[in-house]
Amino acid sequence: MRTALLQSSGRPGSVVENLKVLDEAAGRAAAAGAGLVAAPEMFLTGYAIGDGIARLAEPADGDSADAVAEIATRHGVAVVYGYPEREGETVYNSAQLISADGTRLANYRKTHLFGCFERDHFTPGEQPVVQADLNGLRVGLMICYDVEFPENVRAHALVGTDLLVVPTAQMHPFQFVAESVVPVRAFENQMYVAYVNRVGPEGEFEFVGLSTLAGPDGIARTRAGRGEELVLADADPDFLAASREANPYLKDRRPGLYGSLV
């Protein structure tokens, strides 16, 4: 499945403008043959918007979800996007997958919050593995800091995630995560990992870009630079099956030895 990564910070504070950016990118992605376009963490509203997070937070099935579903349907491409999710008085840092026919397939709440900023504005999610089947692949969702915990990604591997989509807000000086950690996660867990980042200055943060889709061989199929870009690469189920057959990591595990990890 051709996968498009929308590396952009959009227009922080404006849901309307960010939907326009997503609409334009979805059109370009579909024209290039993509079956999925992924946008970064908190793309719908912006990340460093302070109290605007709570003000702009919406339910998973809110008006913005309907707007994204309309974009997906019109262009015939599935969409993953990050947004602040409201459930009652609780706000989560979430990512949602909507299919090309507008169906809400999966919604994930970030389980590992990074730093005081996130802990001040969000409640952590409690469900580590969220998946859905899409175009012959089992797609999993995760957000930014979550992928830096090997247990998280291994949990996905053990239940068959083929393509792990990770909307992120990776900031300076942690660019080594995009450059090194993500390809290693893909290799050691025998999956594709799509890591799609914000870019440029926003509030107190400097987002580093470098969005990538890494394969189960640990090689980046595409990598963006430090500006706004739409980059594309393929997640090939045949290559994935062959790689899993040749690589013994998951088969050679000895779970009985790992009790001390928890």
Side-chain angles (χ1 to χ4, degrees), residues 45-62:
T45 60
Y47 181 91
I49 60 171
D51 292 339
I53 290 173
R55 177 173 54 84
L56 296 174
E58 296 185 26
D61 60 353

Side-chain angles (χ1 to χ4, degrees), residues 190 192 215-219 221 235-245:
Q190 288 299 289
Y192 288 93
D217 52 2
I219 296 174
R221 299 299 191 272
D236 180 351
D238 292 334
F239 182 85
L240 180 59
S243 182
R244 285 173 170 171
E245 182 63 29

Side-chain angles (χ1 to χ4, degrees), residues 15-83:
V15 173
V16 170
E17 290 302 315
N18 291 329
L19 287 169
K20 290 179 182 178
V21 174
L22 181 60
D23 187 19
E24 190 273 338
R28 285 194 286 147
L36 172 67
V37 58
E41 181 176 4
M42 292 287 288
F43 181 77
L44 190 64
T45 60
Y47 181 91
I49 60 171
D51 292 339
I53 290 173
R55 177 173 54 84
L56 296 174
E58 296 185 26
D61 60 353
D63 290 344
S64 292
D66 291 342
V68 175
E70 192 278 329
I71 290 170
T73 302
R74 181 155 40 83
H75 294 294
V77 62
V79 178
V80 170
Y81 67 101
Y83 73 108

Side-chain angles (χ1 to χ4, degrees), residues 187-216:
F187 177 68
E188 68 190 4
N189 291 289
Q190 288 299 289
M191 62 175 62
Y192 288 93
V193 179
Y195 187 79
V196 54
N197 200 10
R198 305 180 69 82
V199 66
E202 188 179 336
E204 63 186 281
F205 307 110
E206 176 74 28
F207 299 115
V208 299
L210 303 175
S211 299
T212 188
L213 192 150

